[in-house]
Amino acid sequence: MKRIKERYYHKLLEFKEQKNSIRRLWNIEEKTAEFLYFTILIKKPSKILEIGTSNGYSTFWLSLAAEKINSKVQTIEVDEKRFQMAKKNLNERTNIEMLFGKAEEIIPKLSDEIDFVFIDAGKIGYINYLQKLLPKLANNALILADNVTSHQKTVTEYLKTVKNNQMFQSMTLPIEDGIEITIFEKGELK
């Protein structure tokens, strides 16, 4: 991680300054970013989807990991100002496709099977994103949902679904605001 932080020092500093100076930017914390990076290197997904781009900080980390495994990242953002900011912040990254609009409307239009998803958008929508994702997920797809401890009441339905349905294996990791890591088993789709 030290080499990444040194190589991209100015870009990471720019993200940090934006988060500190612009209201309503909900970037993941550094430990969460590092966890995402390593998880992608371990899983080696061919199709990565992020729901909730914000200013592109987490997308940047996803892109760095995806680059190492020759993969691409699709990211969805509903807020026009954050979308434009992320577009500018990520303009040098060539393995990112940015999608503007509501995730619930975009997900059904995606063509390829998805084998890695990072959810960090409107917490109340987590369950809706999951329902839209089900027909698009590859067998053994990995889903990481952020803020499941800090926003536990808001994501209750999501957590109930991934913890109690046979098509999922899921656990909560105590990283920063809580990450729910879930494996989807397509054979159990009901």
Side-chain angles (χ1 to χ4, degrees):
M1 299 315 300
K2 183 179 178 183
R3 282 184 290 173
I4 291 173
K5 290 176 186 176
E6 288 173 355
R7 181 176 178 188
Y8 296 104
Y9 174 79
H10 294 290
K11 178 52 79 176
L12 294 172
L13 182 63
E14 184 181 329
F15 280 118
K16 187 175 184 176
E17 288 172 355
Q18 285 177 351
K19 180 182 179 184
N20 292 336
S21 65
I22 300 172
R23 192 173 167 268
R24 297 179 57 88
L25 282 184
W26 297 293
N27 290 349
I28 59 175
E29 298 296 330
E30 187 174 308
K31 284 182 185 176
T32 303
E34 292 173 1
F35 179 74
L36 282 176
Y37 179 86
F38 277 107
T39 305
I40 287 174
L41 294 184
I42 293 165
K43 172 72 174 161
K44 295 181 178 28
S46 58
K47 178 132 182 200
I48 301 166
L49 176 66
E50 176 185 44
I51 303 172
T53 313
S54 189
N55 67 332
Y57 177 71
S58 53
T59 318
F60 183 77
W61 280 93
L62 293 169
S63 170
L64 292 177
E67 185 175 61
K68 285 195 160 283
I69 59 167
N70 199 29
S71 188
K72 296 193 180 283
V73 177
Q74 287 184 308
T75 184
I76 303 170
E77 177 57 50
V78 70
D79 182 89
E80 177 72 32
K81 288 181 182 178
R82 288 193 299 257
F83 180 81
Q84 293 303 327
M85 187 183 312
K87 204 172 175 180
K88 182 179 176 193
N89 287 338
L90 301 169
N91 67 347
E92 295 177 10
R93 304 297 306 158
T94 58
N95 64 343
I96 300 171
E97 179 185 3
M98 297 187 61
L99 306 167
F100 175 71
K102 292 183 178 182
E104 298 92 328
E105 295 172 5
I106 292 173
I107 293 168
K109 297 175 186 173
L110 299 176
S111 57
D112 299 328
E113 278 193 326
I114 303 161
D115 50 0
F116 187 96
V117 181
F118 177 56
I119 305 173
D120 187 21
K123 310 310 172 221
I124 201 160
Y126 278 26
I127 189 64
N128 297 330
Y129 309 144
L130 182 65
Q131 290 167 347
K132 297 291 184 183
L133 282 166
L134 288 179
K136 302 292 181 178
L137 294 173
N139 191 40
N140 293 315
L142 196 61
I143 306 165
L144 277 69
D146 196 28
N147 303 113
V148 297
T149 305
S150 62
H151 292 74
Q152 191 170 7
K153 288 182 180 176
T154 313
V155 298
T156 300
E157 287 303 311
Y158 176 85
L159 292 174
K160 278 184 192 175
T161 301
V162 297
K163 288 184 179 288
N164 298 319
N165 191 305
Q166 290 182 345
M167 70 178 108
F168 301 109
Q169 292 183 52
S170 195
M171 69 181 291
T172 305
L173 301 176
I175 299 172
E176 303 293 349
D177 293 324
I179 295 177
E180 191 69 20
I181 185 166
T182 305
I183 300 168
F184 171 71
E185 296 178 354
K186 198 169 194 158
E188 298 293 326
L189 188 57
K190 295 175 183 172

